[in-house]
Amino acid sequence: MTMQTSYYKLYDNVYIPGRWHLRMPLFKESEEDGELLDTYRFVEGRVLEIERPIRLSMKPSGVALDFSEAMGIPIVHRRVVALFERLGLQKEVQFIPVEVEGQTEPWFILNALQVIRCIDDVRCEEVLYWLPEDNRPDKLGQYRNVRGLKVDPAKIGEAHIFRPWGWKVVLIVSERVKQAMEAEGITGTKFIGV
């Protein structure tokens, strides 16, 4: 019998004193202006072709973190990229280079490449679905809200980083990734068991 691993929501710890706060990612057209980036494509679980450089500004500025989010998009330092490479997770993530205002170090968008149907509706505190009376036929039967998220490890397989189908606003990592990030001293992370 094999032991099932534990899984965790990976969050940006917004309560770190003096930390930076990254703004909306923009396509860099010039130093003065930029075009908004469609952030929804970063939760679809697929490799993306990005044609133009992306830049991020800060407000307020502060201490740079190895892991943070900009409009829900994970932004990571090259230390996180190196850690994921050592863990052999290159097929589970795509790292897209970004420019961060005032930084000379390399930064990346972490794009998880898997969406897995694994939410354990029974164990969650509450799940709500889009219903016919909501007048959203495009969302009918999908999750409208998930509170107290729990996943079914038996449905996850060998994945170590992914988004759950139907509730892709959450990034989930395995216990192996959580422990490795903690051991490496990756700053900015917060983990909540699911």
Side-chain angles (χ1 to χ4, degrees):
M1 179 176 186
T2 60
M3 244 173 60
Q4 288 185 336
T5 190
S6 297
Y7 294 92
Y8 301 85
K9 287 190 278 188
L10 174 55
Y11 282 110
D12 179 3
N13 186 348
V14 297
Y15 298 107
I16 296 172
R19 61 158 287 153
W20 68 359
H21 291 275
L22 298 174
R23 308 283 286 183
M24 178 76 169
L26 301 171
F27 282 122
K28 182 180 177 183
E29 298 297 342
S30 71
E31 293 301 317
E32 294 79 36
D33 59 33
E35 177 186 335
L36 289 177
L37 180 66
D38 175 11
T39 58
Y40 291 107
R41 64 172 136 176
F42 294 100
V43 299
E44 296 301 318
R46 61 185 172 86
V47 173
L48 298 172
E49 297 296 326
I50 306 295
E51 315 78 35
R52 299 178 281 170
I54 299 170
R55 68 178 167 91
L56 294 139
S57 61
M58 288 178 270
K59 189 173 183 181
S61 60
V63 177
L65 303 172
D66 296 324
F67 178 91
S68 51
E69 292 180 348
M71 299 298 293
I73 300 171
I75 307 297
V76 299
H77 187 266
R78 69 175 172 194
R79 292 182 61 226
V80 176
V81 176
L83 175 63
F84 276 56
E85 287 172 350
R86 285 195 311 274
L87 293 173
L89 301 178
Q90 297 93 322
K91 292 183 180 178
E92 296 189 39
V93 292
Q94 175 187 20
F95 291 105
I96 301 165
V98 295
E99 296 175 16
V100 178
E101 176 185 31
Q103 298 291 309
T104 56
E105 296 276 329
W107 296 90
F108 302 86
I109 291 174
L110 186 158
N111 181 30
L113 299 179
Q114 298 180 87
V115 175
I116 300 174
R117 195 175 202 132
C118 62
I119 295 177
D120 189 336
D121 292 9
V122 175
R123 291 180 44 235
C124 293
E125 288 178 33
E126 177 182 58
V127 291
L128 299 174
Y129 302 97
W130 289 95
L131 303 171
E133 55 267 25
D134 296 321
N135 294 316
R136 288 297 306 267
D138 58 316
K139 294 186 177 269
L140 190 62
Q142 297 178 31
Y143 291 102
R144 184 173 185 163
N145 191 27
V146 178
R147 199 163 48 91
L149 175 68
K150 297 294 178 189
V151 297
D152 181 351
K155 294 181 179 178
I156 295 171
E158 301 295 319
H160 289 282
I161 183 166
F162 60 92
R163 294 186 183 275
W165 179 91
W167 198 242
K168 296 185 283 188
V169 295
V170 175
L171 184 63
I172 297 178
V173 297
S174 68
E175 187 166 15
R176 176 179 177 228
V177 171
K178 174 187 179 287
Q179 290 175 349
M181 291 179 89
E182 290 172 337
E184 190 76 13
I186 300 299
T187 60
T189 59
K190 179 179 176 183
F191 300 94
I192 298 175
V194 294

